[in-house]
């Protein structure tokens, strides 16, 4: 095997499936053959993503392989890393599974193409002497060798010979380091453990041992540092290894650090699940309350995008939560496709039609949609209210909230909690474990996302007292979490207790219809184990404004009250209804109309009406220069109960679901995005396509496809519903089917397909007639038939 592509070609199907499972980005789209797969796997982006998935020890093994001669084998690696041969062999197996290391058949392991370029300083070491000094001129190399050797090279010496002699002189640099002095040694200490590159002034100026004055000049004159350019110096690998005492790493552990629990007594499993389920229910309730309010009174979208600080604070006050939690709930609703902006310019944040469908689901189903959106979201809600690198405010729901590493870090954090089994994990121990599992993704940004993940997981109910709940474990495993969550949620109630002090107590979560109607007719006074509502003239008027009559409100409360309605409440409803609509406000700019001229006399005599700019047009009509909405607010502020009137004289009813934004594109709904993990059937189809493409490239496409020729005759036809049913059956059963497919010109052709997935209006499968994995639009499939069937006429 002379090339990396040859090595891939010699892998078995199981090994190729393991590679594609570990690096699913290589399948987007499926390469034409294994040579194309090898080229894609060697691109800088693909190599970097693969390296990001390696743990600290496996990454150290790869770095050691880059530094040490490949022929030395695993035993040398184990000695250099102070690990066992078994541990090194396991790490090498992982590297081969990821396609980052390959063998040429003689037992030697080599880094895959692109790995050296992606890791320019393996183990924090610079290039070897012959490489780092290769940019020196022949004259400068001659001066350097002369100073170190004590005499000029004999005869003519080209650059290659000078570099070899320089490498020999620096193979034991101890005396040279001592001769440079302690201040020069202190400068080397900064580069010893990496990075091996430093910045200095005027590094290119030639300097000799007898004229060097500063510590850096003494190091340059003795070859202990190499000048890369005018300001950059590099520590040669041989010198660094001498300073390290021959060690490649200061400390590298082959096993991950332990997961220690936080201080305090551990919680029982029942306590954990009850706490998590309670927070899950509360998160669903808060999202509903927020979107109900924004459906009636939507906040504007900032010109720079996002939600204004004052609107975020208003949401926090409305929900009685901290601002960070209000930002989280808004971001989760956005990720779940329940919230979006209306229009491109001067829009508003509004619920989508999907929100109304979401309301029709039970609480467990609603929570599942929110949790899936949060898991996949690339937005970090914890950034809301902070400032970016240019000292600009980061607003919730803005593009500045996007952090590409957020979903991977969030998932890795939760996976560690799940792998820990029963019991919570201390935050410091969690950070140490993640730093070992994903060392290349470290830094302050990741540590902050880890902290936000723990806080947000608790707020959304994925964890209770720091431990994942059983239903959260199901969610993370790709299973349905609803059955496990449903058992621990309070059952919705349809009865409330109405008291004589104009309050109503809901002893649990209300059924959706009652909750929405009660939110119209009453204000929430307090929440907790039970929710307390208070009836006021303003709340009753709100229900009447929404088109309800006094009889509707009284009937609703009578049906759902556990006791007869108290007299003060019926008096309140009747009194507000009697005065409601007595005044009518329309638009001239605006006018006030009533059947009682005495009422208008009272309004004009009241000094509070002065800002309304009213004047009389007729005994029962007043005109105003204000807009209708402003005039309505002004009259209501005077204690009156006007209603809005249309130009035809009808009452304008304001409904709570009147405002909805157009649904966003499916690609913007985070919870609908495909998982990074590709399912096994798709990977198997890709492997078949790669093998077929390889065969086609070697022997000719026609010969490779002879066995996949479609049957003769017209393409099959079948009803649309029968087509989808047959395709789904074929996915479950496996095997090939014969389909008819229309191209963009409307021409039908026959295809032999192994269906893998039917979703989102597309069939994904291995097209044996094209030797590739394709997506077929369902509306272009004319019909489906078994290979042994004749097409329907």
């Amino acid at each position: 095997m002379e090339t990396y592509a040859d090595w891939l070609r010699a892998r078995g199907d199981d090994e190729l499936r393991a590679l594609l499972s570990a690096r699913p980005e290589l399948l987007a789209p499926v390469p034409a053959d294994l040579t194309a797969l090898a080229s894609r796997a060697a691109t800088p982006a693909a190599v970097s993503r693969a390296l990001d998935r390696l743990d600290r020890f496996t990454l150290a093994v790869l770095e050691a392989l880059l530094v040490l001669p490949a022929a030395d084998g695993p035993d040398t690696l184990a000695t250099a890393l102070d690990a066992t041969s078994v541990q090194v062999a396991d790490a090498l197996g992982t590297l081969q599974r990821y396609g980052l290391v390959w063998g040429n058949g003689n037992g030697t392991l080599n880094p895959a193409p692109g790995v050296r370029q992606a890791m320019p300083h393996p183990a924090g070491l610079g290039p070897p002497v012959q490489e780092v000094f290769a940019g020196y001129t022949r004259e400068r190399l001659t001066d350097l060798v002369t100073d170190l050797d004590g005499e000029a090279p004999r005869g003519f010496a080209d650059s290659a010979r000078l570099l070899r002699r320089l490498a020999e002189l620096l193979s034991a640099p101890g005396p040279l380091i001592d001769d440079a002095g302690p201040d020069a040694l202190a400068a080397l200490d900064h580069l010893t453990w990496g990075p091996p590159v430093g910045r200095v002034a005027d590094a290119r100026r030639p300097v000799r041992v007898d004229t060097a004055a500063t510590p850096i000049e003494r190091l340059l004159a003795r070859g202990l540092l190499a000048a890369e350019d005018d300001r950059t110096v590099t520590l040669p690998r041989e010198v660094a290894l001498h300073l390290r005492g021959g060690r490649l790493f200061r400390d590298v552990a082959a096993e991950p650090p332990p997961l220690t629990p936080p201080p305090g007594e551990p919680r029982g499993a029942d306590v954990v699940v009850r706490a998590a389920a309670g927070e899950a229910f509360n998160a669903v309730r808060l999202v509903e309350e927020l979107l109900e309010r924004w459906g009636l009174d939507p906040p504007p979208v900032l010109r720079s995008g996002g939600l204004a600080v004052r609107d975020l604070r208003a949401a926090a006050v409305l929900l009685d939560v901290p601002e960070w939690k209000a930002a989280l709930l808004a971001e989760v609703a956005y990720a779940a496709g329940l919230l979006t902006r209306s229009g491109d310019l001067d829009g508003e944040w509004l619920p989508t039609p999907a929100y109304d469908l979401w309301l029709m689901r039970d609480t467990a189903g609603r929570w599942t949609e929110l949790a899936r959106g949060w898991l996949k979201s690339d937005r970090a809600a914890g950034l809301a209210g902070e400032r970016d690198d240019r000292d600009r405010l980061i607003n919730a729901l803005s593009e500045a909230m996007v952090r590409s590493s957020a979903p991977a870090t969030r998932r890795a954090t939760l996976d560690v909690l799940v792998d820990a089994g029963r019991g919570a994990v201390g935050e410091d121990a969690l950070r140490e474990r993640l730093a070992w599992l994903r060392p290349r993704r470290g830094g302050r940004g990741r540590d902050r996302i880890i902290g936000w993940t723990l806080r947000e997981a608790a707020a959304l109910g994925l964890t209770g007292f720091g431990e994942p709940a059983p239903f959260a474990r199901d969610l993370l495993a790709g299973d349905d979490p609803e059955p496990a969550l449903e058992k621990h949620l309070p059952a919705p109630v349809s009865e409330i207790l109405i008291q004589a002090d104009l309050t109503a107590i809901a002893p649990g979560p209300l059924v959706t219809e009652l909750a929405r109607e009660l939110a119209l007719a009453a204000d929430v006074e307090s929440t907790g184990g039970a929710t307390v509502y208070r009836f006021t003239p303003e709340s009753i008027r709100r229900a009447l404004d929404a088109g309800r009559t006094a009889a509707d409100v009284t009937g609703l409360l009578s049906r759902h009250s556990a006791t007869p309605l108290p007299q003060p409440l019926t008096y309140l409803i009747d009194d507000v209804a009697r005065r409601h609509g007595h005044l009518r406000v329309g638009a001239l700019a605006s006018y006030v109309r009533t059947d009682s001229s005495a009422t208008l006399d009272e309004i004009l005599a009241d000094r509070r009406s002065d800002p309304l700019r009213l004047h009389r047009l007729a005994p029962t009509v007043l005109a105003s220069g204000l807009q209708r909405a402003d005039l309505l607010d002004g009259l209501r502020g005077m204690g009156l109960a006007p209603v809005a009137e249309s130009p035809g004289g009808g009452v304008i009813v304001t409904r709570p679901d009147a405002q909805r934004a157009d649904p966003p594109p499916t690609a913007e709904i985070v919870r609908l995005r495909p998982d990074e993990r590709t399912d096994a059937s798709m990977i198997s189809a890709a492997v078949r396509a790669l093998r077929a493409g390889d065969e086609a490239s070697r022997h000719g496409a026609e010969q490779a496809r002879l066995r996949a020729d479609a049957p003769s005759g017209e393409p099959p036809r079948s009803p649309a519903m029968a087509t989808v049913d047959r395709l789904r059956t074929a996915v479950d059963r496996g095997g090939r089917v014969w389909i008819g497919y229309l191209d963009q010109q409307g021409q039908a052709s026959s295809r032999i397909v192994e269906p893998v997935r039917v979703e989102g209006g597309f069939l994904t499968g291995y097209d044996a007639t094209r030797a590739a994995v394709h997506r077929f639009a369902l509306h272009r499939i004319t019909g489906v038939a078994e290979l042994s069937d004749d097409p329907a006429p």
Side-chain angles (χ1 to χ4, degrees):
M1 291 176 287
E2 296 181 354
T3 66
Y4 181 62
D6 291 337
W7 178 79
L8 284 178
R9 199 168 284 114
R11 300 302 91 200
D13 286 354
D14 290 341
E15 292 171 304
L16 285 179
R17 281 192 286 268
L19 168 65
L20 298 176
S21 297
R23 301 173 65 179
E25 66 275 3
L26 299 180
L27 289 177
V30 177
D33 52 32
L34 289 169
T35 301
L37 176 65
S39 299
R40 184 177 298 176
T43 59
V47 172
S48 179
R49 292 191 68 174
L51 294 175
D52 286 345
R53 298 186 177 106
L54 300 181
D55 62 58
R56 179 168 292 169
F57 182 72
T58 305
L59 192 63
V61 171
L62 180 59
E63 291 180 275
L65 192 62
L66 292 170
V67 172
L68 301 175
D72 285 352
D75 292 337
T76 302
L77 295 176
T79 302
L81 296 171
D82 193 22
T84 66
S85 298
V86 174
Q87 291 169 332
V88 171
D90 289 343
L92 289 174
T94 299
L95 292 171
Q96 290 190 73
R97 186 171 70 252
Y98 277 73
L100 295 171
V101 166
W102 66 286
N104 56 14
N106 61 3
T108 301
L109 292 176
N110 305 296
V115 172
R116 289 190 182 275
Q117 292 76 11
M119 305 179 72
H121 302 129
L125 294 170
V129 169
Q130 294 194 53
E131 182 178 334
V132 76
F133 285 100
Y136 275 33
T137 63
R138 178 177 168 274
E139 290 75 13
R140 191 168 183 182
L141 285 172
T142 300
D143 291 341
L144 186 56
V145 171
T146 300
D147 285 345
L148 299 184
D149 216 4
E151 60 180 0
R154 296 178 182 179
F156 176 80
D158 58 13
S159 295
R161 178 183 170 190
L162 291 170
L163 286 172
R164 287 194 298 271
R165 180 55 183 162
L166 184 59
E168 293 173 2
L169 293 170
L170 290 176
S171 60
L176 295 173
I177 296 173
D178 295 337
D179 187 51
D183 49 355
L185 177 59
L188 291 178
D189 287 341
H190 290 289
L191 305 178
T192 297
W193 293 102
V197 177
R199 301 282 290 174
V200 297
D202 199 14
R204 278 287 192 185
R205 184 173 64 85
V207 61
R208 304 295 293 272
V209 170
D210 54 354
T211 61
T214 67
I216 298 300
E217 288 180 350
R218 294 198 295 271
L219 293 172
L220 289 169
R222 289 163 175 79
L224 299 174
L225 286 179
E228 296 280 356
D229 54 40
D230 291 343
R231 293 185 174 275
T232 306
V233 294
T234 300
L235 181 66
R237 180 175 298 175
E238 292 85 346
V239 178
L241 286 173
H242 173 81
L243 293 169
R244 295 181 182 188
R247 291 184 297 161
L248 290 181
F249 301 95
R250 272 179 174 163
D251 180 31
V252 56
E255 299 296 331
L259 294 174
T260 55
E265 293 293 327
R267 309 281 182 167
D270 57 335
V271 175
V272 169
V273 71
R274 286 203 306 269
E279 289 296 336
F281 170 77
N282 193 45
V284 171
R285 180 185 64 82
L286 291 174
V287 168
E288 180 180 353
E289 185 175 350
L290 177 65
L291 297 187
E292 284 292 320
R293 172 59 64 89
W294 284 1
L296 291 170
D297 185 17
V301 178
L302 295 175
R303 288 190 176 182
S304 58
L307 183 70
V309 173
R310 65 177 180 276
D311 294 318
L312 178 62
R313 289 174 179 167
V317 172
L318 169 70
L319 304 178
D320 192 23
V321 297
E323 288 184 27
W324 70 263
K325 191 168 184 177
L328 170 64
L329 295 170
E331 289 286 352
V332 169
Y334 178 78
L338 310 179
L339 175 71
T340 192
R341 58 186 297 170
S342 63
D344 295 329
L345 297 174
D346 300 326
E348 296 173 318
W349 291 107
L350 284 170
T352 66
Y355 169 66
D356 298 300
L357 298 176
W358 181 76
L359 287 176
M360 299 173 63
R361 301 194 64 183
D362 57 20
T363 303
R366 296 192 216 175
W367 179 85
T368 301
E369 290 191 25
L370 297 179
R372 284 176 175 158
W374 174 73
L375 279 174
K376 296 181 180 180
S377 176
D378 58 357
R379 308 169 68 85
L383 288 169
E386 297 191 358
R387 293 193 172 273
D388 62 13
D389 296 338
R390 300 183 180 179
D391 199 35
R392 296 176 300 187
L393 185 67
I394 299 177
N395 296 96
L397 297 175
S398 69
E399 290 304 312
M401 303 283 283
V402 173
R403 293 293 183 272
S404 59
S405 62
T409 303
R410 193 178 292 130
R411 182 69 190 227
T413 301
L414 295 174
D415 284 344
V416 169
L417 294 179
V418 170
D419 293 341
R422 281 282 296 117
V425 176
E427 188 168 339
D428 291 339
L430 177 64
R431 294 181 195 277
E432 291 177 5
R433 174 64 70 91
L434 285 172
W436 187 89
L437 288 173
R438 299 291 184 268
R440 282 172 52 94
R441 293 182 177 178
R444 181 172 176 268
R446 181 178 69 177
D447 287 344
R448 299 186 71 198
I449 294 177
I450 291 172
W452 292 335
T453 297
L454 296 175
R455 181 177 71 176
E456 293 168 7
L460 295 175
L462 278 83
T463 61
F465 297 104
E467 179 182 342
F471 52 86
R473 296 176 188 270
D474 292 340
L475 177 71
L476 294 169
D479 299 327
D480 184 6
E482 295 181 30
L485 175 58
E486 191 70 44
K487 297 185 295 184
H488 301 283
L489 290 174
V493 298
S494 59
E495 278 195 348
I496 55 177
L497 179 63
I498 300 179
Q499 305 180 104
D501 61 352
L502 299 181
T503 61
I505 299 176
L510 298 175
V511 293
T512 301
E513 180 185 1
L514 177 58
R516 299 191 75 172
E517 293 297 326
L518 195 57
L520 276 179
D523 298 320
V524 176
E525 191 167 79
S526 65
T527 59
T531 304
V532 179
Y533 294 86
R534 178 167 293 279
F535 297 97
T536 65
E538 290 76 16
S539 68
I540 298 298
R541 189 194 69 226
R542 185 170 65 233
L544 299 178
D545 286 344
R548 313 306 189 263
T549 65
D552 292 337
V553 176
T554 303
L556 170 78
L557 299 178
S558 299
R559 289 194 305 272
H560 294 283
S561 176
T563 59
L565 292 187
Q567 198 173 55
L569 179 57
T570 59
Y571 283 171
L572 174 65
I573 296 172
D574 292 340
D575 182 60
V576 173
R578 178 176 53 80
R579 294 183 293 113
H580 184 265
H582 190 54
L583 296 177
R584 302 291 183 94
V585 176
L588 286 173
S590 58
Y591 64 85
V592 181
R593 184 173 66 84
T594 182
D595 295 333
S596 172
S597 59
T599 302
L600 299 187
D601 293 338
E602 294 176 7
I603 293 175
L604 292 174
D606 194 327
R607 290 184 178 181
R608 292 178 296 173
S609 68
D610 292 344
L612 303 182
R613 296 155 54 187
L614 297 169
H615 61 277
R616 203 164 202 146
L617 293 181
T620 58
V621 180
L622 296 179
S624 171
L626 299 181
Q627 295 298 319
R628 180 171 57 198
D630 296 331
L631 182 55
L632 279 168
D633 292 339
L635 292 174
R636 287 168 179 167
M638 295 172 61
L640 301 169
V643 295
E645 184 174 72
S646 67
V651 176
I652 298 177
V653 176
T654 57
R655 300 187 183 277
D657 56 350
Q659 298 192 66
R660 290 290 183 268
D662 292 333
T666 302
E668 293 185 11
I669 303 177
V670 176
R671 65 179 174 83
L672 298 181
R673 294 176 185 170
D675 290 323
E676 186 182 85
R677 304 173 183 178
T678 307
D679 60 73
S681 57
M682 184 66 187
I683 290 175
S684 296
V687 170
R688 289 196 297 273
L690 288 168
R691 294 291 191 196
D694 232 37
E695 183 179 349
S697 64
R698 291 199 308 271
H699 304 297
E702 293 303 322
Q703 292 181 5
R705 293 171 188 161
L706 283 177
R707 65 178 184 276
D709 284 342
S712 59
E714 291 295 321
R717 296 185 179 274
S718 58
M721 291 303 298
T723 295
V724 174
D725 289 341
R726 290 184 183 182
L727 289 174
R728 286 176 175 162
T729 301
V731 170
D732 296 335
R733 186 189 67 241
R736 299 182 176 186
V737 293
W738 176 16
I739 70 170
Y741 194 68
L742 298 174
D743 60 19
Q744 293 183 350
Q745 286 73 41
Q747 298 295 319
S749 61
S750 293
R751 305 285 185 93
I752 304 300
V753 178
E754 296 180 25
V756 173
R757 183 188 303 130
V758 177
E759 65 179 11
F762 289 91
L763 162 68
T764 303
Y766 173 63
D767 184 355
T769 52
R770 302 294 189 273
V773 175
H774 276 294
R775 294 181 75 204
F776 301 92
L778 290 178
H779 67 275
R780 290 187 176 179
I781 297 177
T782 62
V784 181
E786 298 293 337
L787 285 178
S788 58
D789 295 346
D790 293 327

